Amino acid sequence: MQTHWWHSAIAYQIYPKSFMDSNNDGIGDIRGIISKLDYLQDLGINVIWLSPAYPSPLADEGYDVSDYYGVDPRFGTLADMDELIHECNKRGIKLLLDLVASHCSDEHAWFKDVIKNGKTSPYYDYFYIVDVPADGTLPTNWRSYFGGSVWSPLVDENTGEGDKNKLYLHSFLKKQPDLNWENPAVRAEIAKNINWWLNRGIAGFRIDAIINIKKAFPFKDYPADAPDGLSNISNMLEEAHGIGEFLTELRQKSFDPHNAFTVGEVFDIDTNHISEWIGENGYFSSMFDFSATIYGAKDGFWHNKEKLTAEAYKSCIFGAMESASKAGAFLSNKLENHDEPRCPNYYLWEGENEGENADKSGITDEGKKMLAGIYFCLRGIPFIYQGQEIGMENTEIIAIGDVHDCSSQGQYYSAIEAGLTNEEAMYHIRRLSRDNARTPMQWDSSAYAGFSKGIPWLPINPNYKKINAAAQLNDKNSIHAFYKQLIALRKNPNYAQALIYGDFTPYLPNQKNLLAYTRTSKERIGKKTLLIAANFQNEPQTMPLTSPIKKILINNYEDIKTAENAISLNPYQLLILKL
Ligand code: GLC
Ligand code: CA
């Protein structure tokens, strides 16, 4: 297997709107990020993935790009971005931007020109535009990801300009028209833009919603799956073939010449096809493992999504490791991102119950550290999402009117339409809303958590006095300190080979709520085996050992209770042992 610099990456995702505000307008910005680079360097990460900061109406918080060549004034200037690239490089940190190319914004010049000039616009075929069917129905019954039909009239709602007899396709919000990748001119525009950024000194891209660039033709209806009569758009995507041609072209024209690192947001692919995506000659360097994210998701409605148990998580990650290793591929592993709830709530909910189980919650420092240890030692690249390293939790969401996230809005109305009460619907919004991840970073215990001196665009999580970076920086038992230990271990030359390239083998996979595996490397001096073991429950359990412990590398408790050929693990105890 060919080795690459990014195999030893430890990545950190920044959501610019919520990271750090330098000019006190309540919105995070690039100068704020620059001011926190020392913090990140001290943590030990060596790659940053920056969510979109391009000019945008921010209808989907920047994932609706109105100009691929700039920076939104709320986030700063292009000069600030260049400085960020420079300051990152100075610290040995590589910067990835977010490539949002499956759709743009309805305020992008291309789309505005189409609204104005209709069919005579040179950009008409940059989009999927069809005539309103003669009987006034919709061309297809696909449901957009954020709820409602994917078809909207080709009209600017504010000015009335456009053509109401035509419809355009948007897989996401109405303000996010899909780009027509069948058109070579569109692909050329995207390739040109990628090269332009890579030439500015970034190291690569995280690739947004990439599965959506290929549709199944001819367009047709799929079986309706909810009271709205529509069908989840993934039903169409499942039948779409040929995305590989587009992605190979992109790789050859843009990524390869720059030796760029690319990590795809790839949902819904058959795991047997992983090698096409991220094998030795795959479209991308890596892609995220979303198996735990989509677990129990069924039809895409939050109110039907099952909760993830320890056993289910184990089968997700063990399954992902198995298919990746068959394909010789490097996954990107994560617990959180800007689209998901905070990991303590998502993974440690068992025991969140009220009444007699109230004190059994796993949402403790030990539980948070356990989660970190489990995913950090998997084969692949660990990504940390801002605030995860200090154990940030889901926020308080009282009423749907207070929710900012557009997908939560759509999910709420679908739940109500399916017959849930307001309280029932809000329960699912609270557990899965994207706002949970988007509340501002909690830097310290001062007003607005040190994120800004102005009122933040999204309220700070009320727990900021207890959970914040400043309180943890000088505490050797903090969650932050634990992440630092894990990062240092991955970089330690004695263990890096095992943790980066070592074989992955499940350990006692049938022992309930024990989540354990070994990483084994063959090195010149001999074989090295690390055992990563977590007791994923709120009760002790005994783990048999087949070989003696040579060294305890990481422990989220003070001590370790060993018996003969066994360890008695505390609730949510996590150990990394050298065997
Ligand atoms: C991706 C992004 C998400 C966005 C969507 C549409 O899933 O991560 O935030 O809403 O694409 O661009
Ligand atoms: Ca600002």
Side-chain angles (χ1 to χ4, degrees):
M1 182 185 168
Q2 207 189 328
T3 58
H4 296 282
W5 68 263
W6 44 264
H7 286 156
S8 54
I10 298 155
Y12 188 95
Q13 182 192 352
I14 293 182
Y15 192 69
K17 206 172 176 188
S18 303
F19 191 60
M20 181 65 200
D21 177 17
S22 73
N23 61 349
N24 299 318
D25 63 355
I27 296 177
D29 46 53
I30 294 174
R31 301 220 69 82
I33 300 172
I34 296 173
S35 73
K36 292 295 182 186
L37 286 178
D38 289 341
Y39 166 86
L40 295 175
Q41 188 179 22
D42 170 69
L43 182 61
I45 59 98
N46 50 26
V47 167
I48 289 175
W49 151 27
L50 178 63
S51 277
Y54 314 104
S56 164
L58 303 188
D60 187 19
E61 303 305 353
Y63 285 92
D64 46 326
V65 180
S66 56
D67 175 6
Y68 288 98
Y69 292 90
V71 169
D72 191 280
R74 283 162 287 193
F75 295 132
T77 63
L78 196 54
D80 293 334
M81 183 65 95
D82 285 337
E83 191 177 323
L84 175 64
I85 298 171
H86 178 74
E87 289 297 321
C88 283
N89 289 341
K90 234 168 70 183
R91 291 171 175 77
I93 296 174
K94 310 224 183 219
L95 183 66
L96 311 179
L97 293 188
D98 210 313
L99 182 72
V100 190
S102 91
H103 47 268
C104 59
S105 160
D106 65 344
E107 297 184 31
H108 191 287
W110 298 332
F111 195 77
K112 289 212 279 205
D113 197 74
V114 172
I115 292 279
K116 194 158 168 229
N117 298 312
K119 255 205 129 112
T120 62
S121 164
Y123 305 112
Y124 189 81
D125 292 329
Y126 275 40
F127 302 95
Y128 291 102
I129 298 170
V130 300
D131 292 332
V132 174
D135 59 1
T137 55
L138 293 167
T140 67
N141 68 343
W142 312 341
R143 182 185 308 107
S144 74
Y145 288 101
F146 298 147
S149 169
V150 296
W151 298 102
S152 289
L154 189 63
V155 173
D156 180 329
E157 270 181 4
N158 299 321
T159 61
E161 202 179 8
D163 184 347
K164 62 178 183 353
N165 295 315
K166 294 201 185 293
L167 301 162
Y168 69 94
L169 176 68
H170 52 89
S171 299
F172 295 89
L173 289 177
K174 208 159 125 178
K175 285 188 70 63
Q176 295 170 292
D178 281 30
L179 286 166
N180 175 7
W181 276 65
E182 304 297 327
N183 181 350
V186 167
R187 304 202 297 272
E189 289 280 6
I190 301 300
K192 187 176 108 195
N193 178 254
I194 294 173
N195 288 322
W196 189 83
W197 280 111
L198 288 169
N199 284 331
R200 292 193 101 81
I202 64 163
F205 288 93
R206 174 265 187 181
I207 321 251
D208 185 68
I210 197 63
I211 207 79
N212 294 286
I213 65 173
K214 188 77 197 183
K215 323 285 187 216
F217 300 99
F219 290 174
K220 61 168 197 209
D221 281 351
Y222 291 83
D225 54 21
D228 60 6
L230 300 176
S231 179
N232 190 320
I233 192 169
S234 7
N235 296 326
M236 176 276 290
L237 293 172
E238 249 170 53
E239 293 187 357
H241 301 291
I243 195 170
E245 285 160 40
F246 296 160
L247 296 178
T248 304
E249 180 185 313
L250 206 60
R251 185 185 147 166
Q252 287 167 351
K253 280 196 185 152
S254 306
F255 302 137
D256 280 354
H258 294 269
N259 195 19
F261 171 66
T262 49
V263 50
E265 185 200 31
V266 184
F267 278 105
D268 298 331
I269 63 157
D270 178 346
T271 48
N272 295 318
H273 290 225
I274 275 199
S275 70
E276 286 160 39
W277 286 81
I278 55 168
E280 199 72 61
N281 290 308
Y283 315 138
F284 303 134
S285 319
S286 181
M287 65 189 218
F288 288 104
D289 172 24
F290 285 119
S291 54
T293 310
I294 58 170
Y295 174 81
K298 294 186 200 120
D299 48 13
F301 291 117
W302 291 353
H303 58 270
N304 289 331
K305 188 177 186 316
E306 270 173 59
K307 287 186 172 180
L308 185 78
T309 60
E311 284 297 297
Y313 182 45
K314 179 158 71 181
S315 64
C316 287
I317 53 181
F318 286 6
M321 286 296 109
E322 193 187 330
S323 36
S325 91
K326 267 194 219 146
F330 245 73
L331 286 169
S332 288
N333 301 307
K334 54 109 203 131
L335 292 172
E336 298 181 0
N337 64 32
H338 66 292
D339 292 329
E340 296 180 25
R342 290 291 181 173
C343 68
N345 304 77
Y346 189 74
Y347 292 84
L348 301 171
W349 58 273
E350 282 179 291
E352 76 181 352
N353 330 14
E354 283 137 41
E356 58 173 330
N357 285 328
D359 60 338
K360 292 186 97 190
S361 170
I363 305 183
T364 57
D365 281 10
E366 284 76 25
K368 293 173 184 180
K369 291 173 184 174
M370 175 196 74
L371 289 176
I374 294 171
Y375 97 104
F376 235 77
C377 298
L378 296 173
R379 195 167 184 281
I381 304 162
F383 274 70
I384 302 169
Y385 177 69
Q386 65 186 43
Q388 180 189 319
E389 78 279 20
I390 55 166
M392 281 178 65
E393 297 173 5
N394 279 359
T395 193
E396 263 182 32
I397 298 176
I398 297 170
I400 191 66
D402 303 331
V403 179
H404 195 92
D405 164 31
C406 58
S407 79
S408 299
Q409 303 285 345
Q411 289 287 349
Y412 177 82
Y413 292 107
S414 302
I416 297 293
E417 206 170 25
L420 276 74
T421 63
N422 171 62
E423 241 339 280
E424 289 163 345
M426 284 310 295
Y427 170 78
H428 297 288
I429 300 307
R430 278 180 203 115
R431 80 183 171 105
L432 295 170
S433 175
R434 305 195 297 180
D435 277 2
N436 287 310
R438 299 177 179 186
T439 60
M441 176 72 185
Q442 293 162 209
W443 292 107
D444 60 38
S445 60
S446 67
Y448 304 131
F451 160 74
S452 176
K453 290 199 170 59
I455 299 175
W457 71 278
L458 190 64
I460 306 277
N461 188 319
N463 68 14
Y464 75 96
K465 293 218 155 129
K466 212 175 94 211
I467 299 178
N468 64 68
Q472 297 192 17
L473 278 173
N474 298 316
D475 173 1
K476 67 174 182 17
N477 290 320
S478 68
I479 295 159
H480 183 272
F482 195 77
Y483 271 89
K484 272 181 88 162
Q485 277 183 47
L486 288 169
I487 292 172
L489 184 72
R490 277 191 79 100
K491 288 181 169 173
N492 182 329
N494 290 326
Y495 307 110
Q497 278 296 318
L499 286 173
I500 297 169
Y501 296 109
D503 289 341
F504 177 96
T505 314
Y507 185 71
L508 303 173
N510 298 325
Q511 184 165 328
K512 191 168 178 229
N513 293 348
L514 176 75
L515 213 162
Y517 55 88
T518 56
R519 300 294 314 277
T520 309
S521 66
K522 290 185 194 64
E523 289 164 40
R524 260 177 301 142
I525 1 143
K527 206 164 121 169
K528 199 167 278 172
T529 297
L530 302 185
L531 171 64
I532 294 87
N535 176 21
F536 208 133
Q537 62 178 11
N538 213 325
E539 275 151 41
Q541 78 170 303
T542 303
M543 174 178 72
L545 273 184
T546 40
S547 38
I549 301 170
K550 291 205 184 105
K551 196 167 182 184
I552 302 167
L553 301 174
I554 303 251
N555 182 2
N556 64 347
Y557 276 78
E558 297 265 300
D559 58 345
I560 157 166
K561 292 189 213 112
T562 45
E564 207 184 326
N565 301 328
I567 302 178
S568 167
L569 295 163
N570 292 315
Y572 300 109
Q573 186 160 19
L574 176 281
L575 293 169
I576 304 181
L577 307 171
K578 184 179 164 199
L579 297 184

Coordinates of all heavy atoms in Angstrom, one line a residue, residues 13 15 49 51-52 60-64 98 100 102-103 145-146 172-173 176 206-210 212 265 267 337-339 405-407 434 438, ligand 1:
Q13 N -12.6 20.0 12.6 CA -13.6 20.7 11.7 C -14.0 22.0 12.4 O -14.4 22.0 13.5 CB -14.8 19.9 11.5 CG -15.8 20.6 10.6 CD -17.2 20.0 10.5 OE1 -17.4 18.9 11.0 NE2 -18.1 20.7 9.8
Y15 N -16.6 25.2 12.1 CA -17.8 25.7 11.5 C -17.7 27.2 11.7 O -17.9 27.7 12.8 CB -19.0 25.1 12.3 CG -20.3 25.3 11.6 CD1 -20.7 24.7 10.4 CD2 -21.3 26.2 12.2 CE1 -21.9 24.9 9.8 CE2 -22.5 26.3 11.6 CZ -22.8 25.7 10.4 OH -24.0 25.9 9.8
W49 N -10.5 21.2 8.6 CA -11.5 21.3 7.6 C -12.4 22.5 7.9 O -13.0 22.5 9.0 CB -12.4 20.0 7.5 CG -13.8 20.1 7.0 CD1 -14.3 21.1 6.2 CD2 -14.9 19.3 7.4 NE1 -15.6 20.9 6.0 CE2 -16.0 19.8 6.7 CE3 -15.0 18.2 8.2 CZ2 -17.3 19.3 6.8 CZ3 -16.3 17.6 8.3 CH2 -17.4 18.1 7.6
S51 N -15.7 24.5 7.2 CA -17.0 24.5 6.5 C -17.1 25.8 5.7 O -16.3 26.8 5.9 CB -18.1 24.4 7.6 OG -18.3 23.1 7.9
P52 N -18.0 25.9 4.8 CA -18.0 27.0 3.8 C -18.0 28.4 4.4 O -18.7 28.7 5.3 CB -19.3 26.9 3.0 CG -19.7 25.4 3.2 CD -19.1 25.0 4.5
D60 N -28.7 28.0 4.0 CA -28.3 26.7 4.6 C -26.8 27.0 5.2 O -26.0 26.1 5.0 CB -28.3 25.6 3.5 CG -28.0 24.2 4.2 OD1 -28.2 24.1 5.4 OD2 -27.7 23.3 3.4
E61 N -26.7 28.1 5.8 CA -25.4 28.4 6.5 C -24.2 28.3 5.7 O -23.2 27.7 6.1 CB -25.4 27.6 7.8 CG -26.5 27.8 8.7 CD -26.8 29.2 9.1 OE1 -26.0 30.1 8.8 OE2 -27.9 29.5 9.7
G62 N -24.2 28.7 4.4 CA -23.0 28.7 3.6 C -22.9 27.5 2.7 O -22.1 27.5 1.7
Y63 N -23.8 26.5 2.9 CA -23.9 25.4 1.9 C -24.8 25.8 0.8 O -25.4 25.0 0.1 CB -24.3 24.1 2.6 CG -23.2 23.5 3.5 CD1 -23.0 23.9 4.8 CD2 -22.2 22.7 2.9 CE1 -22.0 23.4 5.6 CE2 -21.2 22.2 3.6 CZ -21.0 22.5 5.0 OH -20.0 22.0 5.7
D64 N -24.9 27.1 0.5 CA -25.6 27.7 -0.6 C -24.7 28.8 -1.1 O -24.8 29.9 -0.6 CB -27.0 28.2 -0.2 CG -27.0 29.0 1.1 OD1 -26.2 28.7 2.1 OD2 -27.8 30.0 1.2
D98 N -14.4 23.4 1.9 CA -15.5 22.6 1.7 C -16.0 22.8 0.3 O -16.2 24.0 -0.1 CB -16.6 23.0 2.7 CG -17.6 21.9 3.1 OD1 -18.0 21.2 2.2 OD2 -17.8 21.7 4.3
V100 N -18.7 22.7 -2.3 CA -20.2 22.5 -2.3 C -20.6 22.7 -3.8 O -20.9 23.8 -4.2 CB -20.9 23.6 -1.4 CG1 -22.3 23.3 -1.3 CG2 -20.2 23.7 -0.1
S102 N -22.7 20.3 -5.6 CA -23.8 19.6 -6.2 C -24.9 20.6 -6.4 O -25.8 20.4 -7.2 CB -24.3 18.5 -5.2 OG -25.3 19.0 -4.3
H103 N -24.8 21.7 -5.8 CA -25.8 22.8 -6.0 C -25.1 24.1 -5.7 O -24.1 24.1 -5.1 CB -27.0 22.6 -5.0 CG -26.6 22.3 -3.6 ND1 -26.4 21.1 -3.1 CD2 -26.2 23.1 -2.6 CE1 -25.9 21.1 -1.9 NE2 -25.8 22.4 -1.5
Y145 N -34.4 17.0 0.7 CA -33.9 16.6 2.0 C -34.5 17.4 3.2 O -34.6 16.9 4.3 CB -32.4 16.7 2.1 CG -31.7 15.7 1.3 CD1 -31.2 16.0 0.0 CD2 -31.5 14.4 1.7 CE1 -30.5 15.0 -0.8 CE2 -30.9 13.4 1.0 CZ -30.4 13.7 -0.3 OH -29.7 12.8 -1.0
F146 N -34.8 18.6 2.9 CA -35.3 19.4 4.0 C -36.9 19.5 4.0 O -37.5 20.4 4.6 CB -34.7 20.8 3.9 CG -33.2 20.8 4.1 CD1 -32.4 21.7 3.4 CD2 -32.6 19.9 4.9 CE1 -31.0 21.7 3.5 CE2 -31.2 19.9 5.0 CZ -30.4 20.8 4.3
F172 N -32.0 20.1 -2.1 CA -32.1 20.6 -0.7 C -33.1 21.8 -0.7 O -34.2 21.6 -1.2 CB -30.6 21.0 -0.3 CG -29.7 19.8 -0.2 CD1 -29.0 19.4 -1.3 CD2 -29.6 19.1 1.0 CE1 -28.2 18.2 -1.1 CE2 -28.8 18.0 1.2 CZ -28.1 17.6 0.1
L173 N -32.7 22.9 -0.2 CA -33.7 24.0 -0.1 C -34.0 24.6 -1.5 O -33.2 24.5 -2.4 CB -33.1 25.2 0.7 CG -32.9 25.0 2.2 CD1 -32.2 26.3 2.8 CD2 -34.3 24.8 2.9
Q176 N -31.3 26.4 -3.1 CA -30.1 25.7 -3.5 C -30.4 24.9 -4.8 O -30.5 23.6 -4.7 CB -29.7 24.7 -2.3 CG -29.3 25.4 -1.1 CD -29.2 24.5 0.1 OE1 -30.1 23.9 0.6 NE2 -28.0 24.2 0.6
R206 N -13.0 18.9 1.7 CA -14.0 18.0 2.1 C -15.1 18.2 1.0 O -15.4 19.3 0.6 CB -14.5 18.4 3.5 CG -15.8 17.6 4.0 CD -17.1 18.3 3.7 NE -18.2 17.6 4.3 CZ -19.4 18.1 4.2 NH1 -19.7 19.2 3.5 NH2 -20.4 17.4 4.7
I207 N -15.7 17.1 0.5 CA -16.6 17.2 -0.6 C -18.0 17.0 -0.2 O -18.4 15.9 0.2 CB -16.2 16.2 -1.7 CG1 -14.6 16.1 -1.8 CG2 -16.8 16.5 -3.0 CD1 -14.0 16.7 -2.9
D208 N -18.8 18.0 -0.3 CA -20.2 18.0 0.1 C -21.2 17.3 -0.8 O -21.1 17.4 -2.0 CB -20.6 19.5 0.2 CG -22.0 19.7 0.8 OD1 -22.1 19.4 2.0 OD2 -22.9 20.1 0.1
A209 N -22.1 16.5 -0.1 CA -23.3 16.0 -0.8 C -23.0 15.4 -2.2 O -23.8 15.6 -3.1 CB -24.3 17.1 -0.9
I210 N -21.9 14.7 -2.4 CA -21.4 14.4 -3.7 C -22.3 13.4 -4.4 O -22.4 13.4 -5.6 CB -19.9 14.0 -3.7 CG1 -19.3 14.1 -5.1 CG2 -19.7 12.6 -3.1 CD1 -19.3 15.5 -5.7
N212 N -25.2 13.4 -4.8 CA -26.3 14.0 -5.5 C -26.0 14.5 -6.9 O -26.9 15.0 -7.6 CB -26.9 15.2 -4.7 CG -27.5 14.7 -3.4 OD1 -28.6 14.1 -3.4 ND2 -26.7 14.8 -2.3
E265 N -18.1 13.4 1.5 CA -19.4 13.2 2.3 C -20.2 12.3 1.4 O -20.9 12.7 0.5 CB -20.1 14.5 2.6 CG -21.3 14.2 3.5 CD -22.4 15.3 3.4 OE1 -22.6 15.9 2.4 OE2 -23.1 15.4 4.4
F267 N -22.9 9.3 1.2 CA -24.0 8.5 1.9 C -24.5 7.5 0.9 O -24.4 7.6 -0.3 CB -25.1 9.5 2.2 CG -24.9 10.2 3.5 CD1 -24.6 11.6 3.5 CD2 -25.0 9.6 4.7 CE1 -24.4 12.3 4.7 CE2 -24.8 10.3 5.9 CZ -24.5 11.6 5.9
N337 N -20.3 16.2 13.6 CA -20.0 17.2 12.6 C -21.1 18.3 12.8 O -22.0 18.2 13.7 CB -19.8 16.6 11.2 CG -21.1 16.0 10.7 OD1 -22.2 16.5 11.0 ND2 -21.0 15.0 9.9
H338 N -21.1 19.2 11.9 CA -22.1 20.3 12.0 C -23.5 19.9 11.6 O -24.4 20.7 11.7 CB -21.7 21.5 11.0 CG -21.7 21.0 9.6 ND1 -20.9 20.1 9.1 CD2 -22.6 21.4 8.6 CE1 -21.2 19.9 7.8 NE2 -22.2 20.7 7.5
D339 N -23.7 18.7 11.2 CA -25.1 18.2 10.8 C -25.6 17.3 11.9 O -26.8 16.7 11.7 CB -25.0 17.4 9.5 CG -24.7 18.3 8.3 OD1 -25.1 19.5 8.4 OD2 -24.1 17.8 7.4
D405 N -32.0 25.9 12.5 CA -31.7 24.9 11.4 C -32.9 24.6 10.5 O -34.0 24.2 11.0 CB -31.3 23.6 12.2 CG -31.2 22.4 11.3 OD1 -31.0 22.5 10.1 OD2 -31.4 21.3 11.8
C406 N -32.7 24.7 9.2 CA -33.8 24.5 8.3 C -34.2 23.1 8.2 O -35.4 22.8 7.9 CB -33.4 25.0 6.9 SG -31.9 24.3 6.2
S407 N -33.3 22.1 8.4 CA -33.8 20.7 8.3 C -34.6 20.4 9.5 O -35.6 19.6 9.4 CB -32.6 19.8 8.2 OG -31.9 19.5 9.4
R434 N -29.7 20.0 14.1 CA -28.4 20.4 13.8 C -27.9 21.6 14.6 O -26.8 21.9 14.7 CB -28.3 20.7 12.3 CG -28.7 19.6 11.4 CD -28.3 19.7 9.9 NE -28.9 20.9 9.3 CZ -28.7 21.2 8.0 NH1 -27.9 20.4 7.3 NH2 -29.3 22.2 7.4
R438 N -24.3 23.5 16.4 CA -24.0 24.8 15.9 C -24.0 26.0 16.9 O -23.6 27.1 16.6 CB -24.9 25.2 14.7 CG -24.8 24.1 13.6 CD -25.8 24.3 12.5 NE -25.6 23.3 11.5 CZ -26.2 23.2 10.3 NH1 -27.1 24.2 10.0 NH2 -25.9 22.3 9.4
Ligands
GLC1 C1 -24.2 18.5 3.4 C2 -23.8 19.5 4.5 C3 -25.1 20.1 5.1 C4 -25.8 20.8 4.0 C5 -26.1 19.8 2.8 C6 -26.5 20.6 1.6 O1 -24.9 17.4 3.9 O2 -23.0 18.9 5.4 O3 -24.8 20.9 6.1 O4 -27.0 21.2 4.5 O5 -24.9 19.1 2.4 O6 -25.4 21.3 1.1

